[in-house]
């Protein structure tokens, strides 16, 4: 069952606020669902823009259950490379002070690999000549390699599992030819289209 949450001008207010509505896009009765029709209207409106860019985070690949890594798994993999260095880098970039989200069970800072790598980049830029910068840069380089290795999973996916991604790309492809001129380009990554693998 694939569900999406929609918040747009087409969603009706509940009291004084708009609350995202959940839509089951696999439902057999979706065509009668007012919210589903609002979703289609919103998508069609977007597709009418002259220029369109799609920024999709790692969550889009979590539809490939058990194959694509979660952010937590990437954190663990980066830590496994060199646990002592990992802890030293956390201390150097003051991860605990910069992470405002806390685990509700352990009351420890939330494991956020994106935040950690951003803090490493900032540290390197701000303290290029510090002794600890070499260790931070080494960790950052190794972590990027680890993440690239962990996210190179597309060959393990069955062609039938690309249905949602394929439908999305095909929908974008129906846009007028003028969209692909000038500065707007559609780049098909092999993660998105089976034919590109």
């Amino acid at each position: 069952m694939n569900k999406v949450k929609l918040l747009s001008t087409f969603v009706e207010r509940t009291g004084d606020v708009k609350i995202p509505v959940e839509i089951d896009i696999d439902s057999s009765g979706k065509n009668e669902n007012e919210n589903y029709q609002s979703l289609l209207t919103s998508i069609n409106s977007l597709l009418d823009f002259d220029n369109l860019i799609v920024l999709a985070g790692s969550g889009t690949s979590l539809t490939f259950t058990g194959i694509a890594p979660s952010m937590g798994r990437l954190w663990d993999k980066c830590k496994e490379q060199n646990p002592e260095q990992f802890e030293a880098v956390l201390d150097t970039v003051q991860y605990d002070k910069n992470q405002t989200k806390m685990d509700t069970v352990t009351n420890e800072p939330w494991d956020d690999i994106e935040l950690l790598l951003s803090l490493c980049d900032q540290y390197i830029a701000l303290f290029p000549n510090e002794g600890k910068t070499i260790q931070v840069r080494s960790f950052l380089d190794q972590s990027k390699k680890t993440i690239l290795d962990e996210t190179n999973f597309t060959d393990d996916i069955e062609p039938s599992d690309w249905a949602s991604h394929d439908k999305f790309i095909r929908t974008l492809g129906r846009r007028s030819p003028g969209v692909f001129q000038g500065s707007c380009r559609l780049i098909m990554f092999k993660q998105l289209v089976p034919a590109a693998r």
Side-chain angles (χ1 to χ4, degrees):
M1 179 176 355
N2 289 313
K3 292 185 178 182
V4 296
K5 288 191 177 184
L6 172 68
L7 180 61
S8 79
T9 56
F10 301 108
V11 173
E12 293 193 23
R13 290 184 178 273
T14 304
D16 289 342
V17 295
K18 286 192 174 191
I19 299 172
V21 292
E22 191 170 87
I23 303 166
D24 180 359
I25 59 174
D26 291 333
S27 170
S28 59
K30 66 184 173 196
N31 290 330
E32 289 80 36
N33 183 328
E34 214 173 280
N35 293 323
Y36 180 74
Q37 295 305 319
S38 294
L39 173 65
L40 293 180
T41 301
S42 295
I43 292 172
N44 285 333
S45 295
L46 285 173
L47 293 175
D48 287 339
F49 290 153
D50 288 339
N51 297 305
L52 175 67
I53 185 169
V54 177
L55 303 174
S58 68
T60 58
S61 61
L62 290 179
T63 57
F64 305 121
T65 310
I67 298 173
S70 65
M71 286 300 190
R73 191 163 114 198
L74 293 175
W75 173 277
D76 293 340
K77 290 294 183 178
C78 290
K79 185 176 184 176
E80 288 171 10
Q81 296 302 312
N82 186 335
E84 294 80 23
Q85 183 186 47
F86 188 88
E87 294 300 325
V89 167
L90 288 178
D91 185 52
T92 300
V93 301
Q94 300 180 5
Y95 180 82
D96 290 358
K97 290 181 183 177
N98 287 290
Q99 175 55 289
T100 57
K101 297 176 184 171
M102 300 299 238
D103 186 299
T104 56
V105 176
T106 64
N107 205 30
E108 294 289 320
W110 215 5
D111 298 343
D112 184 341
I113 194 66
E114 289 176 326
L115 174 62
L116 178 56
L117 298 182
S118 294
L119 291 172
C120 289
D121 279 329
Q122 290 173 6
Y123 187 89
I124 292 167
L126 293 172
F127 307 106
N129 299 321
E130 291 281 324
K132 293 181 179 180
T133 301
I134 294 169
Q135 184 178 41
V136 172
R137 184 173 284 120
S138 171
F139 167 78
L140 184 61
D141 292 343
Q142 180 59 46
S143 294
K144 287 179 179 180
K145 182 183 179 315
T146 299
I147 290 169
L148 282 173
D149 290 345
E150 288 295 314
T151 56
N152 187 14
F153 57 84
T154 57
D155 291 336
D156 300 333
I157 299 171
E158 295 297 321
S160 60
D161 291 339
W162 288 101
S164 297
H165 292 78
D166 188 47
K167 183 176 181 180
F168 179 72
I169 292 297
R170 289 182 190 283
T171 302
L172 284 179
R174 288 190 197 117
R175 293 168 47 100
S176 67
V179 171
F180 302 106
Q181 297 173 359
S183 63
C184 183
R185 296 182 189 113
L186 177 62
I187 302 171
M188 291 191 210
F189 293 98
K190 74 177 196 174
Q191 291 96 333
L192 299 178
V193 181
R197 291 190 296 159

